[in-house]
Amino acid sequence: MAADRAPESSAQDAVVRRDLAVRAAVDQGLIGGGDGDEPLVCLLDVAGIRASAAALTAAFATALPAGTPVLHAFAVKAAPLVPVLRLLADAGLGCEVASPGELALARAAGVPPERTVLDSPAKTPAELREALALGIAVNADNAQELARLDALVGSAPTRSPLGLRINPQTGAGAIGALSTATATSKFGFALRDAGMREWLVAAYRDRPWLTRLHVHSGSQGVPLARMAEGVREVHALAGEINAAAGRRQVDTLDIGGGLPVDFTSGTGSPTYAEYVGALRSAAPELFGGGYGLVTEFGRSLLARHGLVVTRVEYTKASGGRAIAVTHAGVQLATRTVYVPEAWPLRVLAYDAKGTPKEGPPVVQDVAGPACFAGDLLAAGRALPELAPGDLVVVPDTGAYCFATPYGYNSLPRPAVHGFMVDGTGVRFALVREAQGAASIVAEAGGGQRDALL
């Protein structure tokens, strides 16, 4: 996507691609009606993902002096799918990992160690040793982990860039469970606790190999100004550390990610350019070229570019409320089902041929397949009246939905396909196969059937 392209234009293009993809998914048998046909499929818009990556890189590149080192490390937890990580790597991004499994996925995707960052509040000695041996950047979360790094660095040289995660304690956003910069957050060194600032300056002065500072003050529900405030605090701390050291010891600031997504509309706001603008207002010196930068965006890169497409299996009415029962619910949109006020999703009605459905709006519930009453994708939503065989399309599900399924009722993981639209039509590429019954049985200890007898 061109850097100067209007957001409205790109959003309209995405809608066109979406409608073409849903129709093609029906035509090509990825989803359909009738006995034996797939009732659920998940789709990823390859062009949209590339456009997000380009928008991110362009926003920072235009604000920084030429040659400033920047690594945009995708937060793997947002979409732990190897082909997605490979696509993002091809678009110039690295990976931020927070577990041995996520590191394995990044390596399987071909992401090199020097473009990988390890963050986690509970790294084991084995994880740390592996990261240091590979040369992966590590952000230590607490003083006990720093002591482990002291021993490991002292026993063997490493090329890993090392730093500490700082909690700037700048306050919560609208969703408490996702607010990482509260006074009592479990993450990082609490910057405003008594004596902590002085302790951190001394810790860096005594360890010349500590060359980075890390902060992650943003997430869903956190306003841009508060995110930027956290970055400003860490930028100021870096200046204090370097002044105490008498040299440029801290050379890189990892400013995390967490750009919010507006799930109530199809707009792209806030944009990466708007975030960079907030950073420049809060900490203009950040863009002077004195520090390399690392970012760790996840949701904002992928959410807009995923679709859940599910068949309406049955319709009914209860208490005067129309209900459409589908095959997508808590196993995919877990946060939406349990905390709908914080994680609303749009739902769109299509007919059995994959064409947007028209007709007078009818207030109805769109229910999932799980065996509990709260399994609703949407409650009391006004849509064209749904009928068995119709399709429900749930946009904005490319992050933290079908890529990280929840195993309620042993519901199988659906297939994921990427799609590309060109002059010849819509082409699909399998990203992940649908889970079969044998896999579910194996995960549930099927091979150890008699272990407890």
Side-chain angles (χ1 to χ4, degrees), residues 1 45-57 86-92 301 305:
M1 182 181 70
D45 180 357
V46 173
I49 294 171
R50 285 193 178 277
S52 278
L56 171 59
T57 55
R86 181 65 170 171
L87 172 63
L88 291 170
D90 187 67
L301 280 163
H305 312 303

Side-chain angles (χ1 to χ4, degrees), residues 62-449:
T62 56
L64 288 164
T68 303
V70 180
L71 170 63
H72 298 294
F74 173 69
V76 172
K77 57 182 171 290
L81 297 167
V82 170
V84 169
L85 306 185
R86 181 65 170 171
L87 172 63
L88 291 170
D90 187 67
L93 275 60
C95 281
E96 184 265 341
V97 301
S99 72
E102 289 183 359
L103 176 56
L105 295 176
R107 298 190 70 189
V111 179
E114 62 270 19
R115 299 187 66 78
T116 305
V117 179
L118 174 61
D119 295 321
S120 165
K123 307 179 196 72
T124 67
E127 289 175 64
L128 291 171
R129 280 193 297 270
E130 180 184 23
L132 297 186
L134 291 171
I136 290 169
V138 176
N139 293 311
D141 183 81
N142 55 71
Q144 293 169 7
E145 185 179 348
L146 179 58
R148 285 182 176 175
L149 286 178
D150 283 335
L152 291 170
V153 170
S155 64
T158 180
R159 64 182 185 278
S160 292
L162 302 174
L164 303 183
R165 176 169 183 167
I166 306 301
N167 171 14
Q169 296 175 296
T170 45
I175 305 174
L178 268 66
S179 297
T180 58
T182 61
T184 57
S185 171
K186 76 175 190 178
F187 292 107
F189 292 82
L191 185 60
R192 297 181 181 179
D193 280 12
M196 180 56 71
R197 200 175 198 98
E198 296 76 14
W199 186 93
L200 287 166
V201 171
Y204 274 80
R205 186 184 60 234
D206 295 342
R207 297 169 176 83
W209 42 267
L210 283 177
T211 60
R212 291 188 173 189
L213 281 168
H214 173 236
V215 64
H216 181 84
S217 57
S219 195
Q220 191 69 12
V222 178
L224 294 188
R226 186 157 296 168
M227 295 173 63
E229 183 184 358
V231 175
R232 182 186 65 205
E233 291 291 321
V234 168
H235 179 270
L237 178 62
E240 293 177 34
I241 290 169
N242 288 345
R247 62 187 181 87
R248 184 172 170 264
Q249 178 175 337
V250 175
D251 58 22
T252 301
L253 300 180
D254 184 334
I255 62 174
L259 191 67
V261 172
D262 180 4
F263 288 103
T264 64
S265 72
T267 65
S269 185
T271 66
Y272 293 116
E274 289 169 344
Y275 176 57
V276 167
L279 289 176
R280 295 184 78 165
S281 295
E285 299 88 354
L286 184 70
F287 294 91
Y291 296 97
L293 294 180
V294 178
T295 71
E296 299 173 354
F297 293 103
R299 179 183 297 105
S300 57
L301 280 163
L302 263 291
R304 292 286 184 212
H305 312 303
L307 304 172
V308 171
V309 185
T310 180
R311 185 174 71 217
V312 176
E313 197 65 41
Y314 302 110
T315 56
K316 58 190 293 186
S318 182
R321 174 68 60 81
I323 302 170
V325 181
T326 77
H327 295 269
V330 72
Q331 85 276 32
L332 303 181
T334 311
R335 286 170 167 167
T336 297
V337 168
Y338 285 122
V339 196
E341 64 279 4
W343 298 96
L345 283 173
R346 295 179 294 146
V347 292
L348 309 173
Y350 287 66
D351 64 24
K353 295 181 179 180
T355 302
K357 193 165 186 177
E358 298 181 351
V362 174
V363 174
Q364 52 201 305
D365 292 349
V366 180
C371 288
F372 73 100
D375 186 25
L376 300 173
L377 285 174
R381 198 70 60 89
L383 299 166
E385 188 171 9
L386 293 164
D390 284 345
L391 301 176
V392 167
V393 174
V394 190
D396 306 332
T397 48
Y400 297 106
C401 283
F402 54 74
T404 52
Y406 172 47
Y408 197 94
N409 278 152
S410 297
L411 291 164
R413 293 188 287 272
V416 179
H417 298 262
F419 68 86
M420 294 140 279
V421 180
D422 56 29
T424 64
V426 180
R427 295 180 293 111
F428 292 101
L430 182 64
V431 171
R432 184 187 69 199
E433 293 182 349
Q435 186 180 28
S439 172
I440 294 173
V441 171
E443 286 187 359
Q448 292 77 40
R449 184 185 65 175

